[in-house]
Amino acid sequence: MAHLSEMQAKVSVKADTSRKPLPDQQDHKASLDSMLGDLEQELQDLGIATVPKGYCASCQKPIAGKVIHALGQSWHPEHFVCTHCKEELGSSPFFERSGLAYCSKDYHRLFSPRCAYCAAPITDKVLTAMNKTWHPEHFFCSHCGEVFGAEGFHEKDKKPYCRKDFLAMFSPKCGGCNRPVLENYLSAMNTVWHPECFVCGDCFSSFSSGSFFELDGRPFCELHYHHRRGTLCHDCGQPITGRCISAMGHKFHPEHFVCAFCLTQLPKGIFKEQNNKTYCEKCFTKLFSQ
């Protein structure tokens, strides 16, 4: 018992001494190893057998006290440290890579994928899109900022967009209503149209025959095209597509430019005018020369 008390006193003295500041970590390690070696030797001198719990994978010394089992090996608690920052891992969670242990902070900083938006490590759920990795909350529409739902996303110039903004910003616009053209469309006049929007610019009738007339970048039916061009016959009101007679500020089909009295066609545009009406010379003389 006297020997045991003496040994405890020595251990106490050594423990107190170990609390004093040491020059550096190597001195501390050497002091600790020396103290453990002395303790083991004194126990053996007292006839007390010491059975090691294993050998530390770091220092290769026997483990007599607390032991940590990790990575398939045994460690002194103070020797089981993060490979990068050298902080003790103890019973804290750690990550293994290539047989080495890392604390959570260093593992994520060194090896976790980075978010393409914030550049921070992704430590939980990861979303992969456009050949990049993202925090799920950071993968959103480049225009409106909304996180994508079940509809997914559309990519343009290496940026993601929701369906609504993508169509509004990049889909071809209808030449009639200027809204995005999504499905069925017509191509005419170097642009696209909703079928219901490709109509005459005046009467809004569709072009059932498939033909139309263009004026100032707008489509028109034949009647309203000639109306705007001033090429409707003043007599019959129909378009003039061939020979035309201009008289009294109007245009006429040659066959409709006639004497207002006898209805004879006026040859070569020769006529007499009275009260905005045309007459042949014979009828004009007969009616108005008295």
Side-chain angles (χ1 to χ4, degrees), residues 125-141:
K125 293 182 179 179
V126 58
L127 187 152
T128 302
M130 299 167 53
N131 297 320
K132 298 178 181 178
T133 52
W134 314 72
H135 290 114
E137 65 273 17
H138 287 166
F139 188 60
F140 48 73
C141 175

Side-chain angles (χ1 to χ4, degrees), residues 13-170:
V13 170
K14 292 180 184 292
D16 290 341
T17 303
S18 66
R19 293 192 188 101
K20 294 180 181 179
L22 294 173
D24 53 38
Q25 192 173 359
Q26 285 186 339
D27 291 342
H28 174 74
K29 181 176 182 292
S31 176
L32 183 60
D33 289 344
S34 176
M35 183 182 72
L36 290 175
D38 291 345
L39 176 60
E40 184 178 3
Q41 183 61 49
E42 290 181 4
L43 287 173
Q44 290 176 357
D45 291 344
L46 293 173
I48 301 174
T50 57
V51 180
K53 298 178 181 179
Y55 290 86
C56 177
S58 174
C59 68
Q60 309 303 318
K61 300 287 180 66
I63 304 173
K66 290 183 178 180
V67 61
I68 289 180
H69 296 287
L71 305 177
Q73 302 183 82
S74 301
W75 312 75
H76 290 118
E78 64 274 14
H79 290 163
F80 186 59
V81 298
C82 172
T83 301
H84 186 73
C85 69
K86 308 305 180 183
E87 290 291 324
E88 289 187 22
L89 295 173
S91 58
S92 302
F94 69 93
F95 291 84
E96 181 269 339
R97 185 179 178 91
S98 301
L100 302 176
Y102 294 85
C103 65
S104 177
K105 179 180 177 181
D106 284 334
Y107 181 86
H108 289 305
R109 187 165 62 84
L110 295 170
F111 306 116
S112 288
R114 298 274 173 167
C115 175
Y117 175 74
C118 69
I122 303 174
T123 61
D124 194 5
K125 293 182 179 179
V126 58
L127 187 152
T128 302
M130 299 167 53
N131 297 320
K132 298 178 181 178
T133 52
W134 314 72
H135 290 114
E137 65 273 17
H138 287 166
F139 188 60
F140 48 73
C141 175
S142 294
H143 184 72
C144 69
E146 291 293 321
V147 175
F148 301 115
E151 286 188 340
F153 70 97
H154 297 265
E155 181 181 353
K156 177 72 173 179
D157 298 329
K158 298 182 179 180
K159 294 181 179 180
Y161 295 88
C162 65
R163 175 179 170 82
K164 178 182 176 182
D165 287 332
F166 180 84
L167 295 178
M169 297 172 69
F170 305 114

